[in-house]
Amino acid sequence: MIYMILQKMRSAFQRLVVNPLIKSSFGSCGKKVYVSKGCVFAGIGNIYIGNDVSIGPNATMYCTKAPIRIKDHVIFGPNVTMITGDHRTDIHTKPMSLVKEDEKLEENDQDIVIEDDVWIGANTTILKGVHIHKGSIIAAGAVVVGDVPEYTIVAGVPAKKIKDRFS
């Protein structure tokens, strides 16, 4: 009984306090956007979210100079990770951790775009430069390193097309 009361209190706090603060911090945020508990955002002002988007628990979204753009009617499962940047790895005289932002190349930071009506399964990782087109499904556990055509289902590491959503 006590567990259920605590769960309801946590849920109310998330909905009434945490969600409005997070949503006001995004670069833009549409209507009917839900952010589950445990999400982590870096570069939150560079995240743009449309309408009717549900972000599952423990999502991680790291933005560098490049933004994350999420359009309308997108569903995220739990533990989805999205990262728009990368380390510069081609300077052999300097450790990667010491390369500064102004030394990065243009290709080290690239947008992530997720179009309308996309479902992204649990434990998925989406890396820089990826464009997931309308109506696609990303299977749980996939690592997406390249564009996903519209109405396509992808799975695996790295993610590959397994079938079309419609014939």
Side-chain angles (χ1 to χ4, degrees):
M1 181 67 161
I2 291 174
Y3 176 78
M4 289 173 53
I5 292 169
L6 286 173
Q7 201 64 354
K8 286 184 187 230
M9 289 173 59
R10 274 191 221 119
S11 180
F13 183 74
Q14 179 76 27
R15 187 179 67 256
L16 299 171
V17 177
V18 176
N19 266 355
L21 289 172
I22 289 171
K23 288 168 25 174
S24 69
S25 298
F26 288 135
S28 67
C29 185
K31 296 178 178 160
K32 294 175 61 178
V33 172
Y34 181 73
V35 179
S36 297
K37 64 183 177 181
C39 294
V40 176
F41 303 98
I44 194 167
N46 214 9
I47 299 172
Y48 303 88
I49 299 180
N51 299 308
D52 191 30
V53 173
S54 179
I55 301 171
N58 305 311
T60 301
M61 296 185 190
Y62 288 161
C63 282
T64 54
K65 296 180 217 172
I68 293 173
R69 298 184 190 283
I70 302 165
K71 304 231 175 141
D72 300 336
H73 310 289
V74 177
I75 307 165
F76 290 88
N79 305 307
V80 171
T81 299
M82 299 169 57
I83 304 170
T84 64
D86 208 347
H87 298 283
R88 186 162 178 192
T89 60
D90 62 339
I91 304 174
H92 72 280
T93 59
K94 188 181 241 185
M96 291 177 283
S97 63
L98 297 180
V99 176
K100 295 181 175 61
E101 279 296 313
D102 63 342
E103 296 175 290
K104 289 174 81 174
L105 302 172
E106 189 175 317
E107 61 265 19
N108 296 137
D109 297 307
Q110 297 176 18
D111 302 3
I112 293 173
V113 177
I114 300 172
E115 291 190 6
D116 298 337
D117 186 30
V118 170
W119 175 19
I120 299 172
N123 302 306
T124 297
T125 299
I126 301 169
L127 298 178
K128 68 175 182 160
V130 167
H131 189 144
I132 300 173
H133 290 266
K134 181 178 182 175
S136 296
I137 298 173
I138 312 302
V143 176
V144 186
V145 297
D147 292 355
V148 178
E150 61 179 43
Y151 301 108
T152 300
I153 300 172
V154 300
V157 179
K160 291 185 177 15
K161 178 179 177 177
I162 57 172
K163 69 180 197 176
D164 292 316
R165 250 182 88 187
F166 307 109
S167 56

